[in-house]
Amino acid sequence: MSTIWVIFKRELSGYFTTPIAYVFLALFVFLSGIFAFYIGNFFDRGQADLQAFFMFHPWLYLFFIPALAMRLWAEERKVGTIELLFTLPVTMTQAVLGKFLAAWVFSGIALAFTFPMWITVNYLGTPDNGVIAASYIGSFLMAGAFLAIGSCISAVTKNQVIAFVVSAAVCLGFVMSGFPLVLDVVSGWAPPAIVDAVSSFSFLTHFEAITKGVIDLRDLIFFVSLGAFWLFANAVVIDAKKAQ
Amino acid sequence: MAMRVDDGGGEYVVPMIEIRDLTKRFGPVVAVDGVSFEVERGEVLGFLGPNGAGKSTTMKMVTGFLAPDAGSVTVGGDDIASSPIAVKRRIGYLPEGAPLYGDMTPRAFLGFIAEIRGLAGARRRERIDTVVEQVSIGPVLDRPIETLSKGFKRRVGLAQAILHDPEVLVLDEPTDGLDPNQKHEVRNLIRGMSSDKVIVLSTHILEEVEAVCSRAIIIASGRLVSDGTPEALVSRAPNHNVVCCGLRGVEASGAVEALGAVDGVQRIDVVAASAERVSLQIHPVNGASLLAPVAEFARTRGWEVDELYAERGRLDDVFRAITRPHGSSAGNAGAASGEG
């Protein structure tokens, strides 16, 4: 446990050694606000909730999370510090979790800085703060699932740009898989069970359910188990690739 | 503390590092092919071999970074496959090229290593102060590692490896990229630590082996081809113990004939001969020492000797002869191609 903590601290403070982290935070807060106000028509809806704010999170994460995850392992492999890390008394699980948690907490910090949205909606009306809390939890869980994907793909390559593009593409697949655009392609030839399976992998479906205030255990399990699966794959990829 | 086992017939020391039939393949390439050796406390083992011979791969398996395809590595009685963490705690390792987290300062980096190594409180401060002193990185402690010179980076890597005062120190090319003064410092550091540790270092600088190692292993094409002291290795040089002798006022053919009768002389080459001076190379039988008999002989004859020394032989020549089985003979070292 303490080893995870040591790796976590090094990784998280690593984000803040460059000004990029602050730009990243500012950009996330700014964009999530812009989307809510201008595209989500926060005011015109005339409703005291944050639906217009949360509905854009999957799309924001599509670019922000791969950017956050791309250097996690690609950098270690490129510089060769992966050899240093795994000859220290550190297990694979500790290393993968330490790094993942650092990136996840960073995304949590970004999410926390959107608190002015919550203040605004409370100032303007009387929203259901339970729904808002559930939405924040759902958004944070979804960020974790995105991050697990990004972390795994970051271990596949030594090139951060490739890691970014590929994880954004994979994440897009997960976001879109509930859309007719994707389902129509599948439903042409696959049996209904597979179509259902594909659509059930959609981040949007599960996330929207949570933002409506319905915390269904299945939605939570979806994000947690998906994240766990990708982190497991992450460890397998590191083991297979570290020698190269 | 060495591990001692009493098997009734007196105690013996279990080797600190025990490597058995270590094998590693990368696709069709066999990088390490059935390497076995042991290293005991107090030994400084030099790991030699041409680039790509399998030195680094062997070190990566000994330190637990790579899993071997076959064979076993035991460090201090713990098998690396079954208890990797215990083994890694015992080892300090400087990987090839000394990779470091460039965005950290040496102070933060050593703090991180200390925490991972479980050093805390006063012990942690004391160890960091000690190694910073040992590798002289005091002036750059608070500068980002990526802005440091190659020499400083290498020394930060070294500091990281010795931070927890490990029983086993594995150094992959520790002096690569250092200037002669820094090389000298690092060698002194290694010598200073050698008495109570096992040190394994790889290098392709042969003078380094003679300077710091008590034993040298040569690996070629993944196989162990030689294992012995640097002195034993040098004695395998073709010109080992060849006596070079300069004589004045003696005729060449007479001198050769007379010296040919000395016990242990195999043959004599005339290197240069003029009216006033003869220069000879006297080859011994089986590399035995000829210096004393030749000096004694010249004295009884009353020859004027202006030069007399025995060649030690060059490690480079032995290295070439061993690692290039299909190459030319080790003797024409200067003309050899395919160096490095």
Side-chain angles (χ1 to χ4, degrees), chain B residues 159-240:
Chain B
Q160 162 275 126
I162 61 177
L163 186 63
H164 58 302
D165 196 16
E167 294 170 278
V168 176
L169 198 52
V170 180
L171 308 170
D172 203 345
E173 301 189 353
T175 60
D176 186 40
L178 300 184
D179 68 32
N181 291 334
Q182 294 165 341
K183 278 183 185 162
H184 183 76
E185 282 171 34
V186 168
R187 285 173 198 164
N188 278 344
L189 183 66
I190 293 170
R191 264 196 298 265
M193 291 185 301
S194 63
S195 61
D196 62 340
K197 290 190 200 314
V198 169
I199 302 180
V200 178
L201 63 93
S202 81
T203 178
H204 45 238
I205 307 166
L206 296 167
E207 55 177 278
E208 195 155 281
V209 176
E210 297 195 82
V212 298
C213 297
S214 61
R215 183 175 152 204
I217 277 182
I218 299 182
I219 287 194
S221 310
R223 290 178 165 276
L224 199 152
V225 291
S226 163
D227 184 353
T229 63
E231 292 76 28
L233 214 50
V234 163
S235 71
R236 289 165 65 176
N239 60 343
H240 177 67

Side-chain angles (χ1 to χ4, degrees), chain A residues 187-199:
Chain A
S187 61
W189 50 271
I194 292 191
V195 179
D196 285 350
V198 170
S199 77

Side-chain angles (χ1 to χ4, degrees), chain A residues 38-103:
Chain A
Y38 289 93
I39 305 175
N41 296 321
F42 176 71
F43 289 121
D44 296 347
R45 293 176 75 237
Q47 301 209 15
D49 63 27
L50 285 180
Q51 283 268 7
F53 166 69
F54 284 112
M55 66 185 283
F56 293 105
H57 280 201
W59 307 100
L60 279 171
Y61 287 158
L62 212 48
F63 295 96
F64 277 96
I65 299 291
L68 209 55
M70 64 183 183
R71 76 179 248 286
L72 282 178
W73 292 102
E75 179 81 356
E76 295 263 2
R77 284 188 52 208
K78 187 174 170 219
V79 181
T81 42
I82 190 162
E83 190 172 349
L84 188 74
L85 183 63
F86 285 119
T87 50
L88 291 168
V90 171
T91 65
M92 179 66 78
T93 311
Q94 290 167 338
V96 169
L97 283 183
K99 276 171 170 283
F100 168 77
L101 289 176

